[in-house]
Amino acid sequence: MHSWTGCEAICQPEVALAPFTWYKLGGPAEWFAAPRNEAELSLVLQRCAENGLPWRILGGGANLLVRDQGVRGVVIRLDGETFCGAGNNGSGRRWALQPNADGRSVTLGGGADLTRLTKHAAMNGWGGFERLAGIPGTVGGAVTMNAGGRWGCIGDLVRSVALVDPDGRQRTVSAAELGFEYRRTRVGERIVSAAVLEYTPDEPRRTWQRYLEVWNAKYASQPPVSERSAGCIFKNPPGQSAGALIDRAGLKGARRGGAEVSHRHANFIVAQRDATAADVLALIDAVRETVARECGVVLELEIVVW
Ligand code: EPU
C-alpha cells in the first residue's frame, strides 16, 4: 500500500503516458504525479522515497519513447502556472512572458513550453532564441539535455538554473556549473524547476525574420510535426551526421511493423497509425547494426527510452 499523505490530489495510479509523448506510443505509468509548485514537488519526492518508489520526470515528451509495458514507479510532470506559465519574474505576474528588470533576460518555469517561448521571443525582439525555432519540449527538458541544432543550443542562452534535488532541496546553479556540452549537462538526477535565459535585444522585424529562416530550413529537411516522431533518434558522432550515415547505408524507408525510417531525414523514425513502441525499438536496433556494419560507426541514442 502506498501512502500519498498531503499529495493525494495530485497523484494518480495507472495513467496512460502515450498522450504525453509526441510518439503517442507506450504503456502507462504505475503512478503519475503533477505537482504545481516547489513545495508540492518536494512533498512528492519525499513520499516517493518513503514508499521506496523510483521516479522519473516527464518533460514535453518530444524526445521520449515509452515502452509498451509502461513504467514502474512514479512519473512526475510539472504542472500549473508556477512551472508551466511563462515563469515568475518577481513582479507576481505569470503567464505573460514578461522580461526581467534588466531587460535582457527572462525567468521561466521548468514546465514552460519551448515552442511558445521561441515564437514569443522572435516576435518581441529577444535576439538569440531563434536558434531554438522548431524545437518542441519544455524548458526543463531542453535544459536537461541541452537541446539544440545546427544554429545553436539552449545552453548558449542559460544564465542560471533552479534545481530540486531528489531529497527535495532547492538550489540555484550557474550555467558554468551545469557544464553544457553537445546534448549533455550535469543536471543528472535533479529536476529543473526554473531557468533564467538571456537574450540580446534586437528589432522584432529582424528576430522574426531569423526565426522564420531557421523554421523554414528545418521544415524543408525534416518530417513535418504532424508525423509522429521523437526528433533525431541518434546523436551525431563527432564530425559526422547520423542522418547522412543512415541514409548512406540505404535505410530510408526501412520498416519494422508500423515504424519507418523517414524518407525526409534518415535520423527520424516515424510511427504509422499501427505502430508500437516495440516496432520503433526493433527498427532502432536494425539501423544501429546496419550502420555499424556498413559505415563502421556505432550510433548512440539521443532519445530517451523508458
Ligand atoms: N543528410 C543526408 N541524409 C539525411 C539527412 C541528412 O544526407 O537523411 C545530410 C544533409 O544533407 C546534411 C547533413 O546530413 O549535409 C546534416 O543534416 P542536417 O543539416 O539535417 O543536420 P543533422 O546533423 O542531421 C542536426 C540535429 C537536429 C537539428 C538539425 C538542424 C542532431 C543529432 N541532429 O541534425 O536535431 O534539427 O541539426 O539544426 O544533433 C534533434 O536533436 O532531435 C534534431 C532533430
Side-chain angles (χ1 to χ4, degrees), residues 150 182-183 218 222 232 236 241 247 252 265-266 302:
R150 193 192 316 154
Y182 172 68
R183 303 294 186 276
K218 293 194 85 161
Q222 298 181 2
C232 285
N236 281 340
S241 159
D247 193 356
K252 273 189 171 168
H265 192 299
E302 172 176 315

Side-chain angles (χ1 to χ4, degrees), residues 35-38 41 57-60 77-90 93-100 105-118 126 129 132 137-144 154 158 160-164 170 172 191-197:
R36 294 160 295 188
N37 51 53
E38 278 92 350
L41 174 59
I57 181 100
L58 175 68
R77 182 167 187 265
L78 304 183
D79 200 8
E81 282 189 27
T82 306
F83 287 137
C84 306
N88 185 350
N89 62 1
R93 294 174 67 171
R94 294 173 185 172
W95 282 112
L97 278 162
Q98 294 295 329
N100 292 333
S105 69
V106 59
T107 304
L108 296 131
D113 181 68
L114 202 60
T115 305
R116 183 169 168 240
L117 167 66
T118 50
W126 297 0
F129 278 95
L132 303 177
T138 60
V139 166
V143 166
T144 301
I154 195 165
V158 173
S160 65
V161 175
L163 296 169
V164 177
Q170 296 166 33
T172 298
I191 297 170
V192 173
S193 58
V196 179
L197 304 182

